[in-house]
């Protein structure tokens, strides 16, 4: 929509239509107004209507005589009200009859000028004021409504929700956040026009489901819709109904809704919608669920995650992260011998206490902070190795965990090498644990990366094996030095009836690949003995030790020194 001046001016001036059958009246008004306005003149109702239709985008105001031949002023007013565009043009009625004044105001006239005409200044002032009011109203309605769907824009929507709450504080209201999964795909595949069409049909459908009399609807932006409506028990069928409004929607496109039922009115309206959005985000990648309700636990998780992310830089600078070590024992001989250790990070938060990596690693993997944290952990592990060598004369490798995202870092090998150089250890001292799921996606790229790392002398263990469902085909061509069985895999094998057949198969695969099998999460003597019998090479788990702080780990080093195999 153009600006106020683009739309209304002709030759740089606003245009007024004077509709009066009396020549003298038309001339009189023309004289009064022509210095300031462009004037169109019509001598009967029909001509006036035609002129209006032709000049609908430029006429700023109509001065309308009520008694005219062909089409009376009141009839013209009525016709204008039926036309979406003409109805926004303000009309000032010219009349000598005070009864008609009321009638014309009822029919939608903005004002009236009595005949005989008052002072020219009074007429000019009334006209200017009426035009100004009408144009302001136009601007307001342009920003109040979303142009594409006709729903409220968010600014007005929130304001109207607040007004509603003031008027009906007792009404139990639900807060809905609705969005279209992968909407950009629709735009990209079928074009913007198709995208717009879908959005319009969703809006129309929402209007039929949530009647505008009791609900307030908004298109927030792009493919997000907000609904403020009286509480209902069920939304599943409504969301399904909304989806059927767009029958030729590709199957990859799903409508999903987050609901904050009985929205707490003590919270400001935006916070209530944030809760509905949190609920919707929970099912972002879940195609089988289309409605999700907000609960407080979800918010707490979200706030906790936000706090961890915000505090990460300070925590790293203050060394709140500590590298713990868990020993891995070689069980192939008569008695278990310390083979290496795994570095596992812990966050010692000043107020929250110890936070385990399960709470922050996935979060930092999602936002990229993991790279800084891992570098810190790798360096910490390397410093410990160097310290043992120097102080105790003992050399035991430590494996560090790599995240999938790090496999895409072109500087990964250089970063590791720099750490090795800085601390004075070798690439043989640091093992790399790369989770199986990293191999499954983009396997070619990952395989290349792993090859590079092995060429630089690093020993690579495939972590969590059994959880990522890599194909046997792929495993046979994998460049790895050890297979580390996933803990839950082991847990399952020993849960009922000691069904260790799968472990045997993995051990056979490892033998075929000529690499050792490491079992992690070994907690009992029974598991240890069974794994030993099956031919598992190395064991890690609470049976031997939980992960411990670096200084506590030294006892394992010293034990090894005392009784080397
Ligand atoms: P993971 O690499 O598979 O590490 C093994 C996890 O199993 C560790 O949990 C360890 O404490 C736990 N564990 C070891 N033995 C037993 C046992 O006998 N029973 C049970 N129930 N658990 C056992 P943790 O330390 O909580 O680490 C969880 C995951 O977080 C790790 O799984 C790893 O994927 C990730 N992680 C930990 N530290 C780091 C790190 O510095 N960098 C990266 N990228 N990931 C890390
Ligand atoms: Mg690991
Ligand atoms: Mg593991």
């Amino acid at each position: 929509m153009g600006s106020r001046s683009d739309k209304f001016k002709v030759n740089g001036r606003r245009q007024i239509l004077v509709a009066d059958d009396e020549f003298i009246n038309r001339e009189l008004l023309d004289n009064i107004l022509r210095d300031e306005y462009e004037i169109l003149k019509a001598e009967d109702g029909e001509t006036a209507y035609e002129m209006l239709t032709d000049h609908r985008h430029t006429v700023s105001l109509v001065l309308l005589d009520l008694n005219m031949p062909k089409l009376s002023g009141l009839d013209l007013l009525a016709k204008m009200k039926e036309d979406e565009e003409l109805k926004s043009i303000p009309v000032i009625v010219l009349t000598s009859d005070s009864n008609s004044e009321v009638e014309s105001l009822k029919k939608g006239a903005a004002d009236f000028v009595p005949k005989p005409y008052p002072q020219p200044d009074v007429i000019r002032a009334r006209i200017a004021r009426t035009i100004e009011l009408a144009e302001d109203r136009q601007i307001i309605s342009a920003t109040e409504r979303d142009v594409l769907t006709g729903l409220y824009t968010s600014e007005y929507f929130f304001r109207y929700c607040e007004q509603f709450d003031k008027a009906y504080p007792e009404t139990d209201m639900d807060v809905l956040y609705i969005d279209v999964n992968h909407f950009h795909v629709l735009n990209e595949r079928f074009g913007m026009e198709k995208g717009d069409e879908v959005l319009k049909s969703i809006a129309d459908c929402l209007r039929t489901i949530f009647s505008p009399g009791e609900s307030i609807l908004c298109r927030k932006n792009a493919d997000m819709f907000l609904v403020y409506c009286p509480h209902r028990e069920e939304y599943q069928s409504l969301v399904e109904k909304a989806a059927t409004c767009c029958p030729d929607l590709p199957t990859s496109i799903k409508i999903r809704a987050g609901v904050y039922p009985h929205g707490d009115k003590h919270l400001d309206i935006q916070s209530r919608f944030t809760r509905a959005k949190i609920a919707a985000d929970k099912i972002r990648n879940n195609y089988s669920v289309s409605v999700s309700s907000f609960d407080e636990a979800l918010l707490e998780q979200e706030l906790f995650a936000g706090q961890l992310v915000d505090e990460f830089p300070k925590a790293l600078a203050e060394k709140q992260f500590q590298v713990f070590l868990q020993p891995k024992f070689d069980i192939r001989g008569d008695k278990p011998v310390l083979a290496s250790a795994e570095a596992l990070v812990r966050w010692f938060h000043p107020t929250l206490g110890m936070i385990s990596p399960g709470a922050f690693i996935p979060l930092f993997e999602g936002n990229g902070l993991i790279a800084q944290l891992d570098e810190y952990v790798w360096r910490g592990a390397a410093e410990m190795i160097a310290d043992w060598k120097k102080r105790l004369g003992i050399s035991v490798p430590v494996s560090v965990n790599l995240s999938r995202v790090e496999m895409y870092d072109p500087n990964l090998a250089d970063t590791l090498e720099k750490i090795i150089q800085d601390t004075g250890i070798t690439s043989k001292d640091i093992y790399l644990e790369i989770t199986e799921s990293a191999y499954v996606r983009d396997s070619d790229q990952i395989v290349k990366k792993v090859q590079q790392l092995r060429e630089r002398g690093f020993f690579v263990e495939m972590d969590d094996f059994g959880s990522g469902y890599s194909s046997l085909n792929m495993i046979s061509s994998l460049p790895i030095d050890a297979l580390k069985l996933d803990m839950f895999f082991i847990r399952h094998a020993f849960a009922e009836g000691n069904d260790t057949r799968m472990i045997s198969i993995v051990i056979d695969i490892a033998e075929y690949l000529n690499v050792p099998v490491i079992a992690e999460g070994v907690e009992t003597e029974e598991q240890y003995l069974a794994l030993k019998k099956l031919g598992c090479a190395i064991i890690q788990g609470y049976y031997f030790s939980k992960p411990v702080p670096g200084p506590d780990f030294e006892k394992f080093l010293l034990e090894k020194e005392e009784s080397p195999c």
Side-chain angles (χ1 to χ4, degrees), residues 323 326 342-346 356-358 360-362 365 370 373-374 377-378 400-404 406 433 435 463-464 484 486-487 491 520-524 527 540-543 545-547:
V323 180
Q326 186 177 32
E342 177 174 8
L344 293 157
V345 69
R346 303 286 179 262
S356 58
F360 56 85
I361 297 279
E365 280 175 340
I370 190 69
L373 178 62
D374 271 349
V377 173
W378 302 339
V400 294
N401 288 283
L402 264 63
S403 287
R404 202 175 73 84
E406 280 147 4
E433 292 194 14
T435 179
D463 202 358
D464 310 318
K484 203 170 175 195
D486 189 63
M487 177 156 35
R491 204 61 79 246
E520 64 178 328
V522 178
E523 291 184 348
T524 65
Q527 291 169 357
Q540 173 184 356
Y542 295 174
Y543 174 62
S545 168
K546 289 196 166 184

Short mmCIF file of all heavy atoms in Angstrom, two decimals, residues 323 326 342-346 356-358 360-362 365 370 373-374 377-378 400-404 406 433 435 463-464 484 486-487 491 520-524 527 540-543 545-547, ligand 1:
data_model
loop_
_atom_site.label_atom_id
_atom_site.label_comp_id
_atom_site.label_asym_id
_atom_site.label_seq_id
_atom_site.Cartn_x
_atom_site.Cartn_y
_atom_site.Cartn_z
N VAL A 323 38.12 -31.62 34.15
CA VAL A 323 38.23 -32.86 33.38
C VAL A 323 38.37 -34.02 34.36
O VAL A 323 39.32 -34.07 35.15
CB VAL A 323 39.45 -32.80 32.45
CG1 VAL A 323 39.56 -34.10 31.66
CG2 VAL A 323 39.34 -31.60 31.51
N GLN A 326 38.13 -41.57 33.74
CA GLN A 326 37.63 -42.90 34.10
C GLN A 326 38.56 -43.94 33.46
O GLN A 326 38.81 -43.89 32.25
CB GLN A 326 36.20 -43.09 33.58
CG GLN A 326 35.59 -44.40 34.06
CD GLN A 326 34.15 -44.58 33.63
OE1 GLN A 326 33.76 -44.12 32.56
NE2 GLN A 326 33.36 -45.25 34.45
N GLU A 342 39.35 -42.35 29.97
CA GLU A 342 38.51 -41.45 29.16
C GLU A 342 38.34 -40.14 29.92
O GLU A 342 38.03 -40.14 31.11
CB GLU A 342 37.13 -42.07 28.88
CG GLU A 342 36.24 -41.10 28.09
CD GLU A 342 34.91 -41.68 27.63
OE1 GLU A 342 34.56 -42.81 28.04
OE2 GLU A 342 34.20 -40.98 26.88
N ALA A 343 38.53 -39.05 29.20
CA ALA A 343 38.33 -37.72 29.80
C ALA A 343 36.86 -37.36 29.67
O ALA A 343 36.31 -37.38 28.57
CB ALA A 343 39.19 -36.70 29.07
N LEU A 344 36.23 -37.06 30.81
CA LEU A 344 34.81 -36.70 30.81
C LEU A 344 34.65 -35.39 31.57
O LEU A 344 35.15 -35.25 32.69
CB LEU A 344 33.97 -37.81 31.46
CG LEU A 344 33.94 -39.12 30.65
CD1 LEU A 344 33.61 -40.31 31.54
CD2 LEU A 344 32.96 -39.02 29.48
N VAL A 345 33.99 -34.44 30.98
CA VAL A 345 33.96 -33.11 31.58
C VAL A 345 32.86 -33.01 32.64
O VAL A 345 31.82 -33.67 32.55
CB VAL A 345 33.78 -32.05 30.46
CG1 VAL A 345 32.40 -32.10 29.84
CG2 VAL A 345 34.09 -30.64 30.98
N ARG A 346 33.09 -32.17 33.65
CA ARG A 346 32.11 -31.86 34.68
C ARG A 346 32.08 -30.35 34.85
O ARG A 346 33.12 -29.69 34.79
CB ARG A 346 32.49 -32.49 36.03
CG ARG A 346 32.67 -34.00 36.01
CD ARG A 346 31.33 -34.70 35.91
NE ARG A 346 31.41 -36.15 35.87
CZ ARG A 346 31.36 -36.87 34.75
NH1 ARG A 346 31.31 -36.25 33.57
NH2 ARG A 346 31.37 -38.17 34.78
N SER A 356 26.24 -32.50 35.27
CA SER A 356 26.85 -33.55 34.44
C SER A 356 26.69 -33.22 32.96
O SER A 356 25.80 -32.47 32.56
CB SER A 356 26.28 -34.92 34.78
OG SER A 356 24.91 -34.89 34.61
N PRO A 357 27.59 -33.79 32.14
CA PRO A 357 27.63 -33.37 30.73
C PRO A 357 26.33 -33.61 29.97
O PRO A 357 26.04 -32.88 29.03
CB PRO A 357 28.76 -34.21 30.14
CG PRO A 357 29.11 -35.22 31.15
CD PRO A 357 28.63 -34.75 32.47
N GLY A 358 25.54 -34.59 30.39
CA GLY A 358 24.26 -34.83 29.71
C GLY A 358 23.38 -33.59 29.68
O GLY A 358 22.58 -33.41 28.76
N PHE A 360 24.52 -30.37 29.50
CA PHE A 360 24.98 -29.23 28.69
C PHE A 360 25.65 -29.61 27.36
O PHE A 360 25.67 -28.80 26.44
CB PHE A 360 25.91 -28.30 29.51
CG PHE A 360 27.10 -28.97 30.12
CD1 PHE A 360 28.27 -29.14 29.40
CD2 PHE A 360 27.06 -29.42 31.44
CE1 PHE A 360 29.37 -29.75 29.97
CE2 PHE A 360 28.17 -30.04 32.03
CZ PHE A 360 29.32 -30.21 31.29
N ILE A 361 26.16 -30.83 27.24
CA ILE A 361 26.82 -31.18 25.96
C ILE A 361 25.85 -31.09 24.78
O ILE A 361 26.14 -30.40 23.79
CB ILE A 361 27.50 -32.57 26.02
CG1 ILE A 361 28.61 -32.58 27.07
CG2 ILE A 361 28.00 -33.02 24.64
CD1 ILE A 361 29.92 -32.00 26.64
N PRO A 362 24.67 -31.71 24.85
CA PRO A 362 23.76 -31.62 23.70
C PRO A 362 23.38 -30.16 23.39
O PRO A 362 23.28 -29.77 22.23
CB PRO A 362 22.52 -32.41 24.14
CG PRO A 362 23.00 -33.30 25.23
CD PRO A 362 24.10 -32.57 25.91
N GLU A 365 26.29 -28.58 21.74
CA GLU A 365 26.45 -29.13 20.38
C GLU A 365 25.50 -28.42 19.45
O GLU A 365 25.80 -28.18 18.28
CB GLU A 365 26.18 -30.64 20.38
CG GLU A 365 27.36 -31.43 20.88
CD GLU A 365 27.10 -32.92 21.01
OE1 GLU A 365 25.92 -33.33 21.09
OE2 GLU A 365 28.08 -33.67 21.06
N ILE A 370 30.27 -26.02 21.85
CA ILE A 370 31.01 -27.25 22.16
C ILE A 370 32.47 -27.15 21.72
O ILE A 370 33.36 -27.69 22.39
CB ILE A 370 30.32 -28.48 21.51
CG1 ILE A 370 30.91 -29.79 22.02
CG2 ILE A 370 30.37 -28.43 20.00
CD1 ILE A 370 30.62 -30.08 23.45
N LEU A 373 34.51 -25.60 24.40
CA LEU A 373 34.59 -26.45 25.58
C LEU A 373 35.51 -27.65 25.32
O LEU A 373 36.36 -27.98 26.15
CB LEU A 373 33.18 -26.93 25.96
CG LEU A 373 33.14 -27.88 27.15
CD1 LEU A 373 33.67 -27.19 28.41
CD2 LEU A 373 31.73 -28.39 27.41
N ASP A 374 35.36 -28.25 24.16
CA ASP A 374 36.17 -29.43 23.88
C ASP A 374 37.65 -29.09 23.79
O ASP A 374 38.50 -29.83 24.28
CB ASP A 374 35.68 -30.12 22.60
CG ASP A 374 34.60 -31.16 22.92
OD1 ASP A 374 34.43 -31.46 24.12
OD2 ASP A 374 33.93 -31.64 22.00
N VAL A 377 38.84 -29.07 27.17
CA VAL A 377 38.96 -30.42 27.74
C VAL A 377 40.17 -31.13 27.16
O VAL A 377 40.96 -31.75 27.89
CB VAL A 377 37.67 -31.24 27.47
CG1 VAL A 377 37.86 -32.69 27.90
CG2 VAL A 377 36.48 -30.62 28.19
N TRP A 378 40.35 -31.04 25.83
CA TRP A 378 41.48 -31.72 25.20
C TRP A 378 42.80 -31.18 25.77
O TRP A 378 43.71 -31.94 26.07
CB TRP A 378 41.48 -31.48 23.67
CG TRP A 378 40.22 -31.95 23.00
CD1 TRP A 378 39.32 -32.86 23.47
CD2 TRP A 378 39.70 -31.52 21.72
NE1 TRP A 378 38.28 -33.02 22.59
CE2 TRP A 378 38.49 -32.21 21.50
CE3 TRP A 378 40.14 -30.63 20.75
CZ2 TRP A 378 37.71 -32.04 20.35
CZ3 TRP A 378 39.38 -30.45 19.61
CH2 TRP A 378 38.17 -31.15 19.40
N VAL A 400 39.71 -38.61 24.41
CA VAL A 400 38.80 -37.46 24.56
C VAL A 400 37.63 -37.66 23.59
O VAL A 400 37.75 -38.35 22.59
CB VAL A 400 39.52 -36.12 24.25
CG1 VAL A 400 40.59 -35.83 25.28
CG2 VAL A 400 40.07 -36.10 22.83
N ASN A 401 36.51 -37.05 23.94
CA ASN A 401 35.32 -37.16 23.09
C ASN A 401 35.28 -36.05 22.05
O ASN A 401 35.59 -34.89 22.36
CB ASN A 401 34.05 -37.08 23.95
CG ASN A 401 33.87 -38.33 24.77
OD1 ASN A 401 33.45 -39.37 24.27
ND2 ASN A 401 34.23 -38.25 26.05
N LEU A 402 34.91 -36.42 20.84
CA LEU A 402 34.72 -35.42 19.78
C LEU A 402 33.24 -35.38 19.44
O LEU A 402 32.60 -36.44 19.38
CB LEU A 402 35.50 -35.83 18.52
CG LEU A 402 36.88 -35.21 18.33
CD1 LEU A 402 37.80 -35.64 19.46
CD2 LEU A 402 37.47 -35.63 16.99
N SER A 403 32.72 -34.20 19.20
CA SER A 403 31.31 -34.10 18.81
C SER A 403 31.21 -34.14 17.30
O SER A 403 32.15 -33.80 16.60
CB SER A 403 30.72 -32.79 19.31
OG SER A 403 30.56 -32.89 20.69
N ARG A 404 30.02 -34.51 16.86
CA ARG A 404 29.79 -34.62 15.42
C ARG A 404 30.11 -33.31 14.70
O ARG A 404 30.74 -33.30 13.65
CB ARG A 404 28.33 -34.99 15.17
CG ARG A 404 28.08 -35.63 13.86
CD ARG A 404 26.63 -36.05 13.79
NE ARG A 404 25.75 -34.91 13.63
CZ ARG A 404 25.48 -34.36 12.47
NH1 ARG A 404 26.00 -34.82 11.36
NH2 ARG A 404 24.67 -33.32 12.40
N GLU A 406 32.26 -31.15 15.34
CA GLU A 406 33.69 -30.90 15.19
C GLU A 406 34.28 -31.61 13.97
O GLU A 406 35.33 -31.21 13.45
CB GLU A 406 34.42 -31.32 16.47
CG GLU A 406 34.28 -30.25 17.54
CD GLU A 406 34.21 -30.79 18.95
OE1 GLU A 406 34.34 -32.02 19.13
OE2 GLU A 406 34.03 -29.99 19.86
N GLU A 433 37.56 -40.33 20.68
CA GLU A 433 36.31 -41.09 20.65
C GLU A 433 35.31 -40.33 19.79
O GLU A 433 34.96 -39.19 20.07
CB GLU A 433 35.73 -41.26 22.06
CG GLU A 433 36.58 -42.16 22.93
CD GLU A 433 35.86 -42.59 24.21
OE1 GLU A 433 34.62 -42.42 24.31
OE2 GLU A 433 36.56 -43.11 25.10
N THR A 435 31.57 -40.58 18.15
CA THR A 435 30.34 -41.36 18.32
C THR A 435 29.86 -41.97 17.00
O THR A 435 30.02 -41.38 15.93
CB THR A 435 29.24 -40.50 18.98
OG1 THR A 435 28.07 -41.30 19.11
CG2 THR A 435 28.90 -39.28 18.16
N ASP A 463 32.78 -44.60 19.31
CA ASP A 463 32.06 -44.58 20.59
C ASP A 463 30.59 -44.97 20.38
O ASP A 463 30.05 -44.83 19.28
CB ASP A 463 32.13 -43.15 21.15
CG ASP A 463 31.92 -43.09 22.66
OD1 ASP A 463 31.67 -44.14 23.27
OD2 ASP A 463 31.98 -41.97 23.21
N ASP A 464 29.98 -45.43 21.44
CA ASP A 464 28.52 -45.71 21.45
C ASP A 464 28.12 -46.68 20.35
O ASP A 464 27.01 -46.58 19.81
CB ASP A 464 27.71 -44.40 21.29
CG ASP A 464 28.16 -43.33 22.26
OD1 ASP A 464 28.40 -43.68 23.42
OD2 ASP A 464 28.29 -42.16 21.84
N LYS A 484 33.80 -49.24 20.47
CA LYS A 484 33.40 -49.10 21.86
C LYS A 484 31.90 -49.36 21.95
O LYS A 484 31.10 -48.55 21.44
CB LYS A 484 33.74 -47.67 22.31
CG LYS A 484 33.89 -47.55 23.77
CD LYS A 484 34.45 -46.21 24.16
CE LYS A 484 34.45 -46.12 25.66
NZ LYS A 484 34.64 -44.78 26.13
N ASP A 486 28.12 -49.55 22.93
CA ASP A 486 27.26 -48.63 23.68
C ASP A 486 26.80 -49.29 24.98
O ASP A 486 26.49 -50.48 25.03
CB ASP A 486 26.04 -48.25 22.85
CG ASP A 486 25.25 -47.15 23.51
OD1 ASP A 486 25.82 -46.06 23.66
OD2 ASP A 486 24.11 -47.39 23.92
N MET A 487 26.72 -48.46 26.00
CA MET A 487 26.40 -48.94 27.34
C MET A 487 25.01 -49.58 27.41
O MET A 487 24.81 -50.59 28.08
CB MET A 487 26.47 -47.72 28.25
CG MET A 487 26.11 -47.96 29.65
SD MET A 487 26.86 -46.75 30.71
CE MET A 487 26.86 -45.27 29.77
N ARG A 491 23.70 -53.11 28.72
CA ARG A 491 22.65 -53.15 29.73
C ARG A 491 21.55 -54.12 29.28
O ARG A 491 21.10 -54.97 30.01
CB ARG A 491 22.09 -51.73 29.82
CG ARG A 491 21.40 -51.23 31.03
CD ARG A 491 22.18 -51.20 32.32
NE ARG A 491 23.08 -50.10 32.46
CZ ARG A 491 24.40 -50.22 32.51
NH1 ARG A 491 24.96 -51.41 32.42
NH2 ARG A 491 25.17 -49.18 32.66
N GLU A 520 31.80 -50.38 27.64
CA GLU A 520 31.68 -49.35 28.68
C GLU A 520 30.40 -49.58 29.47
O GLU A 520 29.50 -50.29 29.03
CB GLU A 520 31.75 -47.93 28.11
CG GLU A 520 30.63 -47.55 27.18
CD GLU A 520 30.75 -46.11 26.70
OE1 GLU A 520 31.27 -45.28 27.44
OE2 GLU A 520 30.32 -45.85 25.57
N GLY A 521 30.36 -48.99 30.66
CA GLY A 521 29.17 -49.16 31.49
C GLY A 521 29.13 -50.52 32.17
O GLY A 521 28.06 -51.02 32.51
N VAL A 522 30.30 -51.08 32.39
CA VAL A 522 30.34 -52.39 33.07
C VAL A 522 30.27 -52.15 34.57
O VAL A 522 31.13 -51.48 35.14
CB VAL A 522 31.63 -53.15 32.69
CG1 VAL A 522 31.70 -54.48 33.43
CG2 VAL A 522 31.68 -53.35 31.19
N GLU A 523 29.24 -52.70 35.19
CA GLU A 523 29.01 -52.36 36.60
C GLU A 523 29.21 -53.53 37.56
O GLU A 523 29.39 -53.32 38.76
CB GLU A 523 27.58 -51.79 36.76
CG GLU A 523 27.43 -50.42 36.09
CD GLU A 523 26.06 -49.79 36.30
OE1 GLU A 523 25.14 -50.49 36.76
OE2 GLU A 523 25.93 -48.60 36.01
N THR A 524 29.11 -54.74 37.04
CA THR A 524 29.16 -55.88 37.98
C THR A 524 30.24 -56.88 37.58
O THR A 524 30.69 -56.91 36.43
CB THR A 524 27.81 -56.64 37.97
OG1 THR A 524 27.65 -57.22 36.67
CG2 THR A 524 26.64 -55.73 38.28
N GLN A 527 29.11 -59.18 34.80
CA GLN A 527 29.25 -58.61 33.44
C GLN A 527 30.72 -58.70 33.01
O GLN A 527 31.02 -59.08 31.88
CB GLN A 527 28.78 -57.15 33.42
CG GLN A 527 27.28 -56.99 33.60
CD GLN A 527 26.86 -55.55 33.84
OE1 GLN A 527 27.70 -54.65 33.94
NE2 GLN A 527 25.57 -55.34 33.95
N GLN A 540 35.44 -50.61 30.72
CA GLN A 540 35.37 -49.32 31.41
C GLN A 540 34.04 -49.32 32.14
O GLN A 540 33.02 -49.75 31.58
CB GLN A 540 35.40 -48.20 30.36
CG GLN A 540 35.17 -46.80 30.90
CD GLN A 540 35.11 -45.77 29.76
OE1 GLN A 540 35.33 -46.10 28.59
NE2 GLN A 540 34.81 -44.54 30.11
N GLY A 541 34.01 -48.87 33.37
CA GLY A 541 32.72 -48.84 34.05
C GLY A 541 32.86 -48.73 35.55
O GLY A 541 33.98 -48.82 36.09
N TYR A 542 31.74 -48.57 36.21
CA TYR A 542 31.74 -48.38 37.66
C TYR A 542 32.33 -49.59 38.38
O TYR A 542 32.74 -49.49 39.52
CB TYR A 542 30.31 -48.13 38.17
CG TYR A 542 29.68 -46.82 37.67
CD1 TYR A 542 28.35 -46.54 37.94
CD2 TYR A 542 30.42 -45.89 36.95
CE1 TYR A 542 27.76 -45.37 37.50
CE2 TYR A 542 29.84 -44.73 36.49
CZ TYR A 542 28.50 -44.46 36.77
OH TYR A 542 27.93 -43.31 36.33
N TYR A 543 32.31 -50.74 37.70
CA TYR A 543 32.88 -51.94 38.35
C TYR A 543 34.31 -51.64 38.78
O TYR A 543 34.74 -52.03 39.86
CB TYR A 543 32.83 -53.13 37.38
CG TYR A 543 33.53 -54.36 37.92
CD1 TYR A 543 33.09 -54.97 39.10
CD2 TYR A 543 34.64 -54.87 37.27
CE1 TYR A 543 33.75 -56.08 39.62
CE2 TYR A 543 35.31 -55.98 37.78
CZ TYR A 543 34.86 -56.59 38.95
OH TYR A 543 35.52 -57.68 39.45
N SER A 545 35.82 -48.25 38.34
CA SER A 545 35.81 -46.91 38.95
C SER A 545 34.85 -45.98 38.21
O SER A 545 34.68 -46.09 37.00
CB SER A 545 37.22 -46.30 38.87
OG SER A 545 37.18 -44.92 39.18
N LYS A 546 34.27 -45.07 38.98
CA LYS A 546 33.52 -43.98 38.35
C LYS A 546 34.55 -42.99 37.78
O LYS A 546 35.73 -43.06 38.14
CB LYS A 546 32.68 -43.25 39.40
CG LYS A 546 31.53 -44.10 39.88
CD LYS A 546 30.50 -43.25 40.62
CE LYS A 546 29.24 -44.08 40.76
NZ LYS A 546 28.14 -43.39 41.36
N PRO A 547 34.12 -42.05 36.95
CA PRO A 547 35.07 -41.00 36.54
C PRO A 547 35.51 -40.22 37.78
O PRO A 547 34.66 -39.92 38.63
CB PRO A 547 34.24 -40.13 35.59
CG PRO A 547 33.11 -41.01 35.14
CD PRO A 547 32.81 -41.91 36.29
P1 LIG B 1 30.28 -41.33 26.62
O1 LIG B 1 31.44 -40.74 25.89
O2 LIG B 1 29.65 -42.54 26.03
O3 LIG B 1 30.76 -41.53 28.09
C1 LIG B 1 30.37 -42.56 28.92
C2 LIG B 1 29.39 -42.13 29.95
O4 LIG B 1 29.02 -43.26 30.71
C3 LIG B 1 29.93 -41.12 30.93
O5 LIG B 1 28.85 -40.32 31.33
C4 LIG B 1 30.32 -41.99 32.11
O6 LIG B 1 30.34 -41.31 33.33
C5 LIG B 1 29.23 -43.02 32.08
N1 LIG B 1 29.62 -44.28 32.70
C6 LIG B 1 30.83 -44.85 32.71
N2 LIG B 1 30.78 -46.02 33.32
C7 LIG B 1 29.50 -46.21 33.71
C8 LIG B 1 28.81 -47.28 34.41
O7 LIG B 1 29.36 -48.30 34.79
N3 LIG B 1 27.49 -47.11 34.63
C9 LIG B 1 26.83 -45.99 34.21
N4 LIG B 1 25.52 -45.91 34.48
N5 LIG B 1 27.44 -44.99 33.57
C10 LIG B 1 28.77 -45.11 33.33
P2 LIG B 1 29.04 -38.78 31.41
O8 LIG B 1 30.35 -38.43 31.97
O9 LIG B 1 27.82 -38.25 32.07
O10 LIG B 1 29.06 -38.34 29.89
C11 LIG B 1 27.94 -38.51 29.11
C12 LIG B 1 28.27 -38.22 27.69
O11 LIG B 1 28.59 -36.84 27.53
C13 LIG B 1 29.47 -38.96 27.17
O12 LIG B 1 29.12 -40.21 26.75
C14 LIG B 1 29.91 -38.08 26.03
O13 LIG B 1 29.13 -38.38 24.88
C15 LIG B 1 29.54 -36.72 26.51
N6 LIG B 1 30.72 -36.05 27.03
C16 LIG B 1 31.26 -36.10 28.28
N7 LIG B 1 32.34 -35.30 28.34
C17 LIG B 1 32.51 -34.76 27.11
C18 LIG B 1 33.46 -33.84 26.53
O14 LIG B 1 34.41 -33.38 27.15
N8 LIG B 1 33.27 -33.51 25.21
C19 LIG B 1 32.24 -34.01 24.47
N9 LIG B 1 32.14 -33.65 23.20
N10 LIG B 1 31.35 -34.88 24.98
C20 LIG B 1 31.48 -35.25 26.28
#
